[in-house]
Amino acid sequence: MVHILTFCTASQPEIPRHPLELLAAARALSAQLGEGTVHTLCVGPASGAYGEELIHRGADRVLTVECPSVEAEIALAVVESAVRHLAPQVVLLPHDDLSGAYVGPCLAYRLETGIATDCGGFAVQGEDIRWLRPVYGGKAMAYMRIRGPVQLATMRSRAFDPLPADPTRRGEIQSFPADWESVRPQIRVVERLEEKEEGELPLDRAEIIVSGGRGIGSAEGFAVLRELARVLGAAIGGSRPAVDLGWVPHSHLVGQTGKIVAPNLYIAVGISGAAQHIAGAGSSKTIVAINKDSDAPIFKLAHIGVVEEWEKVIPALIEACREWRS
Amino acid sequence: MHIIVCIKQIIDPEVPFHLFRIDPVAKRQIQGTHPLVISTYDEVAVEVALQLKEKVGGRVTALTLGKKEALQALHQTLAMGADDAILLSDLNFEEMDSFGKARVLAAAVRKIGEFDLILCGRQAGDVELGLVGPFLAGELGIPCVPLVANFEVANGTIRMRRPVETGYEILEAPFPLLATITNDTSNVPRYASVKGLRAAMRAPIPCWSSADLGLSADALGPKPLRIEIDELFIPHREMRCELIEGESGAEKARNLAARLKALGLIG
Ligand SMILES: Cc1cc2nc3c(=O)[nH]c(=O)nc-3n(C[C@H](O)[C@H](O)[C@H](O)COP(=O)(O)OP(=O)(O)OC[C@H]3O[C@@H](n4cnc5c(N)ncnc54)[C@H](O)[C@@H]3O)c2cc1C
Ligand SMILES: Nc1ncnc2c1ncn2[C@@H]1O[C@H](COP(=O)(O)O)[C@@H](O)[C@H]1O
């Protein structure tokens, strides 16, 4: 019997997708390793509201911690205390900014246990888990073996589909007595600067994403892409150079170190198709590439390609889409 | 302000798919004719360190754990404007996981002596575990501030700027601290001038071994390693791209629009 702990932050009223993906991963692991309990530690002001849903999606036991905000050091302390208390054999965390870059690594250090970060899957061999993750920017894959008192992994988003909600599933919801109040965070957020992006759809929920790269050449060029996005009702994304050059905000970076997206339609314009970019867009249902270089690697990954300078294609594409609208 | 930047030398991560080769037995990339470079986010970290030094004064030391050829990466950081560079090199250092690497880097930091700030990349550009930074902070018992893009100085306080979903967070934490560095518009690495490089090539760079750091082989962590690649492979990808033809860009655009509409993807 293998007990698994998954982690879920609860700061917004609606439950996000990533913790539900973790539950799907946990159930898949549990089915292969011998059914044990899947515990979900749910931390944050909305944790009470998530309980039922987490059980319908695969948790056996939800442990809630209703702290007002989920700061990094508090999250780490709460997860550490849950791991020490419940002694699970496997801990699954989301590979996001909080857990992938902080809670996971710091927890591994404190528990002196190996960790596999940014995992997309696993293979079970007997009692051993081999964790599958991309390496070299996604050009290769590695099965990692980790050793120590617990198997600790951070899972990338979109690696698993959430299980369908089963309202007949039963489980326990309990409050977990973590002493978060005595944590004195050393890292303090003293200011939050909102970067207003008028009219720009968030990447996560968009059905269509129009994404631009270095090949767009200028901020003015990006304005044309934004026009296409508006006509299509799409969100705007960008590659790392497009972000570094200030053409798109950081929150719209697509790729390994940005967002992992999976829209119905991903239109990559002036993007070469580096593995690190594809790592974030590769699961899109249909990928369209517009690039002037027929040898660009993006054409090896795209479903539909147009070899042409974008300046000659995008305005006409906007025109064509507008005609249908009217 | 003394800033230590931990940099790793890697094979150019921008090598395209079709030239990328691995050694499945040694479980690593084959260098071939590809150049060695400073890992992407570590170069960004050097830039962040130099910008902070320009704001508050002080010194930047680049530290790398690697083989002799990593001297080249250190020369490059000196040419960018770092003041000192140190190579940590020893046969004992070759079979280590992130725990061992953090332990060696921590021993080097202690030997260097006083410091205010350590910068690491958010993740190395090769295996990309993103562990050495937080582990090093753990070894030194200092706060680890993740995913910082820059430092701001106002009224004598140093604050950190971190890109988040909704914009930026401005953070404070007590020094000394370690920050892992991510990229944004403010920290695109500067080029090392040819003149700077020439001067840097002449600068002596100390090389410390495990003996210099007082580390026995046992101190580098248990074997088997706690974090290890068991199998490395290149996933199979099939080509399936349907090219949209046309006499002109405008015609291709119209054909593309029609195709996407036929597939029910737009419209
Ligand atoms: C550790 C690490 C993490 C990274 N994380 C990310 C990440 O999360 N996201 C990301 O995007 N990158 C990431 N990168 C960077 C990545 O490796 C590539 O450098 C980057 O994706 C390239 O961006 P690009 O395609 O816009 O630019 P380029 O590679 O320069 O490509 C520009 C393309 O535009 C085409 N072009 C030029 N002019 C025109 C025109 N007029 N019309 C049409 N096409 C034109 C060119 O043919 C070319 O193919 C990471 C790198 C590392 C090492
Ligand atoms: N061999 C090394 N020498 C110096 N710094 C390193 C080394 N390996 C990793 N680092 C630092 O730790 C960061 C994270 O590396 P990793 O945990 O390998 O992804 C890198 O961006 C570097 O700043």
Side-chain angles (χ1 to χ4, degrees):
Chain A
M1 279 225 304
V2 169
H3 301 298
I4 302 176
L5 176 70
T6 75
F7 176 51
C8 169
T9 53
S11 8
Q12 62 209 64
E14 234 179 86
I15 195 160
R17 193 187 138 100
H18 208 158
L20 303 181
E21 297 172 9
L22 288 189
L23 279 172
R27 286 262 76 109
L29 250 181
S30 176
Q32 294 177 61
L33 286 166
E35 293 283 344
T37 310
V38 174
H39 306 266
T40 297
L41 178 68
C42 187
V43 182
S47 57
Y50 286 16
E52 287 281 308
E53 172 93 8
L54 291 167
I55 288 172
H56 295 166
R57 303 291 194 134
D60 298 311
R61 200 159 158 234
V62 177
L63 301 158
T64 60
V65 179
E66 278 193 47
C67 51
S69 69
V70 196
E71 283 159 63
E73 288 152 287
I74 291 180
L76 174 60
V78 171
V79 178
E80 184 184 0
S81 101
V83 173
R84 293 197 190 276
H85 189 77
L86 301 164
Q89 285 89 344
V90 181
V91 177
L92 300 180
L93 306 172
H95 191 79
D96 54 16
D97 283 359
L98 173 68
S99 297
Y102 187 83
V103 175
C106 295
L107 185 63
Y109 185 81
R110 290 189 183 182
L111 300 173
E112 297 186 47
T113 197
I115 176 172
T117 48
D118 203 11
C119 293
F122 41 74
V124 174
Q125 271 184 347
E127 295 189 345
D128 288 337
I129 310 173
R130 298 199 308 157
W131 298 95
L132 182 64
R133 67 186 300 279
V135 288
Y136 300 105
K139 289 193 268 277
M141 299 293 289
Y143 277 110
M144 309 283 302
R145 218 178 258 289
I146 54 179
R147 297 183 179 83
V150 286
Q151 291 284 308
L152 179 56
T154 64
M155 307 295 294
R156 64 165 39 192
S157 68
R158 301 276 167 185
F160 286 80
D161 278 328
L163 300 171
D166 173 0
T168 62
R169 272 195 107 252
R170 294 280 169 269
E172 287 171 66
I173 303 172
Q174 290 170 356
S175 124
F176 179 71
D179 178 20
W180 53 270
E181 273 158 306
S182 67
V183 179
R184 294 275 162 272
Q186 292 189 289
I187 309 168
R188 287 180 303 118
V189 180
V190 291
E191 207 179 324
R192 288 199 159 86
L193 305 174
E194 297 268 322
E195 208 170 62
K196 274 271 176 284
E197 302 149 27
E198 287 304 338
E200 286 192 341
L201 278 169
L203 283 178
D204 316 52
R205 264 170 289 211
E207 293 285 319
I208 306 178
I209 295 175
V210 174
S211 198
R214 199 198 313 266
I216 300 302
S218 65
E220 292 73 39
F222 248 86
V224 181
L225 276 197
R226 286 198 166 83
E227 185 53 32
L228 176 63
R230 242 187 312 278
V231 175
L232 293 174
I236 194 95
S239 69
R240 208 181 91 138
V243 169
D244 286 350
L245 292 160
W247 302 339
V248 250
H250 194 278
S251 53
H252 289 244
L253 171 66
V254 173
Q256 190 195 0
T257 44
K259 288 267 159 51
I260 296 180
V261 296
N264 263 334
L265 177 59
Y266 187 83
I267 307 180
V269 191
I271 290 178
S272 62
Q276 294 88 352
H277 184 80
I278 296 306
S283 330
S284 308
K285 300 241 165 43
T286 304
I287 300 175
V288 173
I290 301 169
N291 195 304
K292 67 174 183 186
D293 174 9
S294 62
D295 285 333
I298 188 84
F299 290 119
K300 300 220 163 46
L301 300 141
H303 305 85
I304 298 177
V306 179
V307 181
E308 185 61 89
E309 288 173 2
W310 70 267
E311 294 91 331
K312 298 196 177 129
V313 178
I314 302 298
L317 190 58
I318 296 173
E319 228 20 70
C321 298
R322 269 216 190 101
E323 273 165 32
W324 287 328
R325 287 280 144 105
S326 58
Chain B
M1 166 83 52
H2 183 200
I3 310 164
I4 299 174
V5 190
C6 297
I7 63 164
K8 184 179 186 188
Q9 189 187 48
I10 61 169
I11 302 168
D12 185 356
E14 305 275 344
V15 169
F17 283 110
H18 68 282
L19 298 176
F20 179 84
R21 301 280 180 279
I22 55 166
D23 177 339
V25 178
K27 296 167 200 159
R28 57 172 171 256
Q29 186 187 353
I30 295 173
Q31 189 191 346
T33 55
H34 308 308
L36 294 170
V37 300
I38 300 177
S39 180
T40 318
Y41 292 103
D42 303 357
E43 200 181 354
V44 173
V46 173
E47 175 63 33
V48 170
L50 294 173
Q51 286 184 16
L52 180 57
K53 177 181 133 174
E54 282 155 12
K55 288 175 200 157
V56 297
R59 221 147 52 79
V60 173
T61 301
L63 187 60
T64 193
L65 165 60
K67 297 190 188 161
K68 283 282 182 292
E69 61 252 36
L71 281 171
Q72 185 197 331
L74 292 173
H75 282 130
Q76 190 186 328
T77 58
L78 291 174
M80 285 171 78
D83 302 275
D84 294 289
I86 300 164
L87 174 67
L88 312 174
S89 202
D90 195 304
L91 278 177
N92 277 331
F93 296 163
E94 278 169 32
E95 291 295 315
M96 290 190 303
D97 61 17
S98 315
F99 286 96
K101 288 178 197 173
R103 192 156 291 172
V104 173
L105 290 168
V109 168
R110 287 196 197 95
K111 185 173 161 81
I112 290 169
E114 62 47 68
F115 69 92
D116 303 284
L117 181 60
I118 299 179
L119 302 185
C120 284
R122 63 180 291 173
Q123 65 204 64
D126 48 10
V127 181
E128 302 164 310
L129 297 171
L131 296 176
V132 170
F135 286 9
L136 176 56
E139 287 289 322
L140 296 168
I142 58 176
C144 173
V145 187
L147 305 177
V148 170
N150 224 314
F151 290 82
E152 296 176 346
V153 184
N155 310 325
T157 0
I158 300 179
R159 294 173 160 184
M160 289 158 277
R161 193 176 145 95
R162 170 200 290 160
V164 292
E165 185 63 29
T166 48
Y168 281 93
E169 280 178 357
I170 307 297
L171 311 169
E172 277 183 18
F175 285 77
L177 61 85
L178 182 147
T180 66
I181 300 298
T182 192
N183 66 300
D184 78 351
T185 42
S186 74
N187 59 27
V188 178
R190 65 194 65 189
Y191 285 107
S193 68
V194 177
K195 194 164 149 243
L197 261 176
R198 224 177 282 134
M201 293 305 285
R202 286 192 298 269
I205 293 180
C207 174
W208 295 347
S209 66
S210 55
D212 294 323
L213 296 176
L215 290 170
S216 65
D218 295 344
L220 302 177
K223 299 271 165 47
L225 300 175
R226 278 177 284 204
I227 302 169
E228 200 167 53
I229 293 183
D230 193 45
E231 184 187 337
L232 181 67
F233 62 98
I234 297 182
H236 175 71
R237 285 192 185 78
E238 52 185 295
M239 254 221 255
R240 49 183 180 179
C241 187
E242 160 193 345
L243 286 184
I244 302 286
E245 306 293 342
E247 289 297 311
S248 65
E251 191 183 326
K252 289 178 193 172
R254 285 190 294 273
N255 292 343
L256 173 64
R259 185 79 184 103
L260 294 178
K261 192 149 194 240
L263 289 168
L265 290 166
I266 62 170

